[in-house]
Amino acid sequence: MNKALFALLPLLAMLSGCMSVIQTATDRKDQRIHALANAGNAEAQYLVGMFFNNGMGGMTRDPKIAFEWFRKADAGGDSLGAYKLGCYYAGQFPGTVEVDEEKAYAHKMVAARAGYALAQHDVGVVYVSRNDFQEAERWWKLAGGQGFRSSHSALHTLYSREEAGLKNPQLAYVHYKLANRNAQNEISPAALPDLIKLAEKLQSPELEAADKIVDRYVMKPTQLSLDARNMRGRINALLAAAEAAR
């Protein structure tokens, strides 16, 4: 199966300030994060890496500097820093570092094992490229359990195709439905025709059981996944902890 069937999603975490007073306060916090990073704090090193990675925190985007900060964060045990190294070795910002798929896999696996949903999804993609569909299923189920929609879409594809050896129309229906629900648990209108086609492949008891699985589903993101989506909150928490430790 062609791994291009499953899209890798980049990490997007944007910071912004709406007013000059707020921006000034934010800049001071960012300066304190730099100080912690220079003092060897791995979490702060990851955050500074993200400043340079995305052009945030008063920094101009500079992938090469970002990469070096991510290396320091990874060496200090920061799982998100390890993930970002994996992204760079996988080819993010071409020319920054030589592409090395094995290093990309190894670093992303660190974050996947730590519970980061995006890393778990990416690891699943690697296993598809190796034709190890059972391992891909395992990692996508973990990411899907956290509410990562791309993993639900990938599982739908996995359960829909004969070549994966895991064809299961009922689970294909379940994961397609989970991938296309909005915050109000409503299905996107564009997805309804395909969902109806999937439902038609099931007997009434199978469809009823599948809908129960969907209805009972509750996403349970790990703290690491939440932290990755809320950089400003992570910055505030880190500074609060540093202040309390003084």
Side-chain angles (χ1 to χ4, degrees):
M1 183 180 292
N2 191 330
K3 65 180 179 180
L5 292 171
F6 305 107
L8 288 169
L9 298 183
L11 178 64
L12 297 176
M14 301 301 293
L15 307 179
S16 63
C18 299
M19 298 171 60
S20 60
V21 174
I22 295 176
Q23 188 62 51
T24 300
T26 299
D27 288 344
R28 291 197 190 105
K29 289 182 179 180
D30 295 340
Q31 290 168 9
R32 291 165 63 194
I33 290 295
H34 274 272
L36 286 173
N38 285 322
N41 183 291
E43 186 175 4
Q45 288 168 342
Y46 161 75
L47 292 168
V48 171
M50 289 303 293
F51 290 166
F52 284 103
N53 185 84
N54 290 358
M56 306 181 300
M59 298 296 104
T60 300
R61 176 180 286 189
D62 191 323
K64 291 186 178 181
I65 294 178
F67 179 79
E68 293 304 321
W69 279 112
F70 292 140
R71 284 213 307 185
K72 292 177 182 180
D74 172 57
D78 188 88
S79 298
L80 292 179
Y83 176 75
K84 289 302 297 181
L85 277 187
C87 292
Y88 273 69
Y89 283 119
Q92 186 179 33
F93 296 116
T96 303
V97 63
E98 184 176 352
V99 172
D100 187 320
E101 292 185 1
E102 286 304 313
K103 285 184 178 180
Y105 164 77
H107 285 295
K108 289 186 177 185
M109 181 60 82
V110 170
R113 287 174 174 155
Y116 183 31
L118 182 50
Q120 291 170 342
H121 178 79
D122 287 2
V123 165
V125 173
V126 172
Y127 280 112
V128 166
S129 74
R130 298 176 178 180
N131 292 322
D132 190 340
F133 301 112
Q134 289 186 333
E135 273 298 288
E137 177 192 32
R138 183 169 79 89
W139 287 104
W140 283 338
K141 285 171 72 174
L142 288 170
Q146 296 195 56
F148 198 70
R149 291 189 179 188
S150 291
S151 290
H152 287 302
S153 293
L155 286 167
H156 156 253
T157 302
L158 200 64
Y159 294 134
S160 298
R161 295 178 178 269
E162 294 282 0
E163 58 264 42
L166 297 170
K167 189 170 182 179
N168 186 320
Q170 186 182 46
L171 290 178
Y173 170 89
V174 166
H175 288 284
Y176 187 84
K177 196 168 186 179
L178 288 172
N180 288 281
R181 290 198 311 180
N182 61 20
Q184 290 74 43
N185 293 331
E186 298 168 343
I187 303 300
S188 164
L192 281 174
D194 286 335
L195 185 64
I196 291 171
K197 290 179 183 178
L198 289 167
E200 289 173 347
K201 298 178 182 180
L202 304 177
Q203 299 295 322
S204 294
E206 293 177 315
L207 182 60
E208 183 179 349
D211 281 327
K212 284 183 179 178
I213 293 173
V214 174
D215 290 341
R216 292 170 182 168
Y217 169 82
V218 178
M219 64 178 179
K220 298 178 180 179
T222 64
Q223 188 60 50
L224 187 62
S225 294
L226 293 173
D227 286 345
R229 296 201 300 262
N230 183 19
M231 280 185 61
R232 186 53 64 189
R234 193 176 185 191
I235 286 170
N236 292 337
L238 178 58
L239 292 177
E243 187 66 26
R246 290 178 61 179

